[in-house]
Amino acid sequence: MRYAPQEYQGGFYLSTPKGGSAGTVDLDPMVASALRRHMQEYPLTEVDMIDVTSGNPVRRRVPLLFTTTHKNPFTDRTWSAEWVKWREKAGWPKEHGGFHALRHFFATTLIINHVDPKEAQRALRHSTLQITLETYVHFWPRRERRRGVVGDVLRAAAGHQDHR
């Protein structure tokens, strides 16, 4: 059965990722444990959805990990409404506190904990390291500028040579 775009635009449907970027990231053990508990309490729920991942929209049954209390898919509006509750419960500020703030929290947490910049790029799914650095350079920890590094290496080499 074929569907015209107007039948699924504005609705909830499966598609490829927005930027075309897909891959695997490490799952934190704490998050994995929380997901296991969630799945025990709330088993996967199958819902009918339109799948446009192949370019040819088809309706099919899809198992979802997160649904509403009425067993409907979480839409962007549902996430936004829930996020406001979660954000308030966590004590996060309202200013710049949209759902996208979680991405920045994730990025800055990686950075201030000295995760290698290439690993941060991979985890954030940025296409280049330059994007990661330009976006988050102001969060990278500043270190005291070391002076005399070349001189230290040359003195060590000269001292090593004197002992021969």
Side-chain angles (χ1 to χ4, degrees), residues 39-74:
M39 291 176 72
Q40 287 170 350
E41 190 170 343
Y42 305 99
L44 293 175
T45 300
E46 284 201 3
V47 297
D48 282 325
M49 294 182 70
I50 295 186
D51 181 348
V52 297
T53 56
S54 68
N56 183 24
V58 294
R59 183 170 289 279
R60 68 179 182 94
R61 302 280 298 161
V62 179
L64 296 180
L65 182 57
F66 299 103
T67 58
T68 68
T69 55
H70 300 291
K71 306 293 184 197
N72 295 318
F74 257 50

Side-chain angles (χ1 to χ4, degrees), residues 2-3 9 20 25-26 28 34 37 56 77 89 102 106 112 117 123 127 130 147 149-150 153 155 161 164:
R2 293 187 51 87
Y3 293 89
Q9 287 179 338
V25 294
D26 296 332
D28 184 272
R37 285 192 309 275
N56 183 24
R77 286 185 178 165
K89 188 174 181 179
L102 280 179
F106 176 65
I112 64 175
S127 58
Q130 181 178 354
R147 300 179 189 285
V149 173
V150 173
V153 171
R155 274 189 288 288
Q161 197 172 29
R164 283 185 180 180

Side-chain angles (χ1 to χ4, degrees), residues 5-37:
Q6 65 270 18
E7 291 183 57
Y8 58 86
Q9 287 179 338
F12 198 78
Y13 58 93
L14 293 176
S15 67
T16 55
K18 182 170 73 173
S21 173
T24 303
V25 294
D26 296 332
L27 184 60
D28 184 272
M30 182 179 161
V31 175
S33 177
L35 283 174
R36 274 192 296 279
R37 285 192 309 275

Side-chain angles (χ1 to χ4, degrees), residues 70-90:
H70 300 291
K71 306 293 184 197
N72 295 318
F74 257 50
T75 64
D76 55 347
R77 286 185 178 165
T78 309
W79 276 113
S80 294
E82 291 301 316
W83 169 244
V84 168
K85 294 180 217 172
W86 299 330
R87 184 192 68 214
E88 288 174 358
K89 188 174 181 179

